[in-house]
Amino acid sequence: MDTSVFPFYPRPRTPFLFDTKIVEIIIICLVTATTFIIIFPGIRGKLRTFWLLRVLTSLFIGTVILAVNFTRDWEVGSVNTKTVYKSFTHAMVNASIGLWIGLKGVNITLAGHPLHQLNETINYNEKFAWESRTQYDKDYQEGLEKGLPNPILYVAEKFYSENPCRLHQQYCVSTYYSSALMWSAFCSWILSNVLFLIPVPLYGICMMFVTAVCITVSLISYATVRHTPACNIHFGGSVLHMRFGLSFWLSFATGLLCLSISILLLTLHILKPHILLRILNCKDNEEERNKSDPESSHLDDDKTDAVSEML
């Protein structure tokens, strides 16, 4: 048997690396932000710094809301252990086993310590999607047919739809509603930007508040529906403990940011609406034009009086 080919694989394996959708979203955001930064020196007015800050903040919020729908680190966990490598063999390996849970599925990693053991490079990253019940079961069956290492199949079996732990049902329900609420937050974020540009400040503030509420409820939906301690994933005397990952805390920070912005803008709208109009570039440009060209302002007033007399 050729030692360069894994025993159960017909050809060398290509592990899952990352979701290209996340890279596309980040590239689009960076290109857009760079464009606004380039045109920033050409913007006239005293409040152009606030304009750039508002644009970059809005881009950050939209990028986070959109990207976390495709990330795999809402919940993460890892454990170092010595375990059986593959079925029908007693060969043991020292490895780190990781579990990465996202709104679209899970990633299970297996990395040897050291990577090269048993004449193989032990470095796996396998993706199991749960966009539907049949999709996850199909990915799991394909993993069995390919002969994935025992630790990966053991962890993947915990999320199988027929497993008595019922992790699949719990996570499918929580991630389904979390993803739906994140998409709702993205829609309300778009509406808030449109309303700020029209400009309709009060309605824009309301939609920004709705964005914060959608993100918060999405996080609550994900956090409250989790597996019970009885279904912990054991590897000998070690347990694979899970914790909230970067995407969860980034979404939490984004929700707080949206809530803080909406409260601040609402306070300005109630106490000092003219300052809010200047921040939103609704009044500053007009004042600058009148100051720089007072004759045109008088002409506009004369035209208005003339039209009023004709009527």
Side-chain angles (χ1 to χ4, degrees), residues 232-287:
N232 281 337
I233 302 174
H234 295 268
F235 288 94
S238 304
V239 179
L240 198 159
H241 294 288
M242 302 299 296
R243 66 184 185 278
F244 292 126
L246 177 63
S247 294
F248 182 91
W249 295 115
L250 190 60
S251 301
F252 179 75
T254 304
L256 286 180
L257 178 62
C258 293
L259 182 62
S260 302
I261 291 174
S262 59
I263 293 175
L264 177 61
L265 294 181
L266 182 61
T267 304
L268 288 176
H269 179 74
I270 295 174
L271 300 179
K272 296 182 178 181
H274 62 281
I275 294 180
L276 177 62
L277 292 176
R278 293 189 62 190
I279 291 177
L280 296 177
N281 284 338
C282 301
K283 192 175 180 181
D284 184 66
N285 291 336
E286 182 180 351
E287 290 180 351

Side-chain angles (χ1 to χ4, degrees), residues 171-223:
Y171 274 97
C172 271
V173 171
S174 62
T175 55
Y176 175 81
Y177 288 106
S178 296
S179 179
L181 287 167
M182 277 296 177
W183 283 112
S184 300
F186 183 72
C187 294
S188 60
W189 168 78
I190 294 176
L191 288 175
S192 67
N193 283 276
V194 172
L195 292 171
F196 281 136
L197 290 174
I198 290 178
V200 188
L202 181 58
Y203 294 107
I205 294 169
C206 292
M207 294 311 301
M208 181 63 70
F209 180 76
V210 171
T211 302
V213 171
C214 289
I215 295 175
T216 304
V217 177
S218 175
L219 297 176
I220 294 174
S221 173
Y222 185 85

Side-chain angles (χ1 to χ4, degrees), residues 36-78:
F36 281 107
I37 292 174
I38 291 174
I39 67 175
F40 172 72
I43 302 297
R44 299 181 62 184
K46 299 178 180 178
L47 300 177
R48 60 177 187 173
T49 303
F50 291 98
W51 173 83
L52 181 63
L53 180 62
R54 180 164 63 95
V55 170
L56 295 180
T57 303
S58 181
L59 281 174
F60 171 78
I61 294 172
T63 303
V64 171
I65 294 174
L66 191 59
V68 295
N69 281 280
F70 305 99
T71 54
R72 303 278 173 174
D73 56 351
W74 275 69
E75 198 173 358
V76 298
S78 63

